[in-house]
Structure formats: structure tokens, C-alpha cells
């Protein structure tokens, strides 16, 4: 008698539990997401369109893409002279002056010395050197969890500027690596979400 009573109780309560679970999921909108094949949100992205300054012909893009706590940066330029060209994030996303100086100095929210990315002290804007080939094209990439996109915090890259310099960064001279004139500038803005 006891065995059949347990079977009866389980048979009675299980459908009620499942109906309650389905109704709870539906009221939260989770059931629709589950069956609609809803994708994860698109990654946060920022972009800078690099234009020429100081009479140069440099153009390009800097694309920042966030995945989890990592931000991947890809800078691609063309129209530059062959050799090494420093690339930095500068304080302001203002490319209005012909020499690019309206972008201010290096972006340095942590207040440390200029240096080489990932080695000792370095500005959060110390990206490095792009190697440009005979065709005038070059690129550089890195990944970091030191930046943010669109948060408004001190380490948010949106509203800053990307600067391409005429020469290489020596990673030692203060405050900016003796990289020479600013030959390309782009304002970093949030990319439109699909």
C-alpha cells in the first residue's frame, strides 16, 4: 500500500512542478529566448578612422573589439613611408589641428612613465611600432584587459585619439618616445551595433 501511495504522489506532483517551471520561465521572458535561438549579445566595439595630418598621405583604421574582459585592437594603415612608425592613444579624440596636436599628449590615466607595452611601466596609450612595408601598408595588434569600451571610466578608450607618428618609438625618451611628427590622427568612437 505504501509503495503505490509514493507512485501516486510522484505522478501527481511532477506535472504540476513542470507546469510551474514553464510558467516561471515564460513570465521572465526566458522561454522565448530559449526557443527563439537568441544569440549572445554582439561584442562591444569602437573604431577610429585615421586621416592624414602634417601634409602626409596616411589613412587607416583602428578597431577595438571587446570579448569578455579582453579588448583586441587592430590598427591598419596605408600611405606611410616604409619603416617603423609609432602608434599611440592620445588624450583627446580631436584631430582638428593640421599637425594633430589637438589630440593632446599620450593617454596616461595611471600617471606612470612612458615605456614599451607590457614591459615595466608604460602609458595605457603606448601601443608600439607599426612596421610598414615598401607598399606603404602596415598593421599592429594587441589584446588587453587594461582598457574598457563605452563605460565612461578613466580607462575607457572612447573619446580618445589614435596618433600615427613619423618615426619609431624608442620606448625610453620621456614623455613620448621621441617618435616625431604626428602624421595620422583618428578619433575613437563607439561603433554602431547591428
Amino acid at each position: 500500500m505504501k509503495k503505490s501511495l509514493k507512485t501516486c504522489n510522484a505522478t501527481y506532483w511532477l506535472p504540476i512542478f513542470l507546469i510551474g517551471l514553464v510558467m516561471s520561465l515564460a513570465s521572465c521572458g526566458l522561454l522565448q529566448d530559449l526557443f527563439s535561438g537568441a544569440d549572445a549579445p554582439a561584442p562591444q566595439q569602437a573604431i577610429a578612422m585615421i586621416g592624414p595630418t602634417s601634409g602626409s598621405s596616411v589613412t587607416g583604421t583602428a578597431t577595438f573589439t571587446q570579448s569578455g574582459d579582453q579588448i583586441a585592437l587592430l590598427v591598419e594603415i596605408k600611405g606611410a613611408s616604409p619603416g617603423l612608425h609609432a602608434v599611440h592613444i592620445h588624450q583627446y579624440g580631436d584631430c582638428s589641428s593640421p599637425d594633430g596636436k589637438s589630440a593632446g599628449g599620450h593617454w596616461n590615466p595611471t600617471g606612470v612613465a612612458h615605456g614599451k607595452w607590457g614591459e615595466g611601466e608604460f602609458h595605457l596609450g603606448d601601443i608600439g611600432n607599426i612596421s610598414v612595408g615598401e607598399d606603404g601598408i602596415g598593421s599592429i595588434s594587441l589584446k588587453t584587459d587594461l582598457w574598457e569600451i563605452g563605460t565612461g571610466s578613466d580607462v575607457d578608450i572612447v573619446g580618445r585619439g589614435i596618433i600615427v607618428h613619423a618615426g619609431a618609438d624608442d620606448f625610453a625618451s620621456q614623455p613620448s618616445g621621441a617618435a616625431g611628427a604626428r602624421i595620422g590622427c583618428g578619433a575613437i568612437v563607439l561603433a554602431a551595433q547591428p
Side-chain angles (χ1 to χ4, degrees):
M1 183 71 176
K2 285 184 180 179
K3 189 173 184 181
S4 63
L5 183 58
K6 284 182 183 178
T7 304
C8 179
N9 284 341
T11 306
Y12 176 78
W13 289 108
L14 184 60
I16 292 174
F17 170 77
L18 291 176
I19 291 169
L21 179 62
V22 168
M23 291 178 67
S24 295
L25 290 172
S27 69
C28 295
L30 298 175
L31 195 60
Q32 183 178 356
D33 290 347
L34 184 65
F35 290 107
S36 68
D39 294 328
Q44 184 80 308
Q45 200 169 55
I47 191 165
M49 301 304 295
I50 300 167
T53 62
S54 304
S56 81
S57 57
V58 171
T59 60
T61 58
T63 307
F64 300 80
T65 304
Q66 184 164 4
S67 179
D69 65 350
Q70 293 286 312
I71 294 177
L73 167 62
L74 174 62
V75 180
E76 299 174 296
I77 61 170
K78 60 183 181 178
S81 61
L84 295 177
H85 294 272
V87 179
H88 302 127
I89 300 176
H90 282 242
Q91 186 67 31
Y92 309 113
D94 180 354
C95 298
S96 61
S97 67
D99 58 5
K101 290 189 176 177
S102 52
H106 282 197
W107 178 49
N108 184 20
T110 55
V112 298
H114 171 71
K116 186 174 185 179
W117 184 272
E119 296 181 12
E121 287 190 334
F122 57 93
H123 300 158
L124 290 188
D126 288 342
I127 294 170
N129 291 321
I130 289 182
S131 180
V132 174
E134 292 297 322
D135 58 1
I137 296 172
S139 66
I140 189 171
S141 62
L142 64 82
K143 284 187 179 180
T144 182
D145 63 357
L146 299 177
W147 300 332
E148 294 176 359
I149 296 177
T151 64
S153 75
D154 289 345
V155 295
D156 184 357
I157 50 91
V158 174
R160 310 296 172 200
I162 286 279
I163 294 288
V164 179
H165 290 271
D169 188 331
D170 65 13
F171 306 120
S173 300
Q174 300 299 322
S176 58
R182 303 173 186 200
I183 59 171
C185 183
I188 303 170
V189 298
L190 276 176
Q193 296 297 309

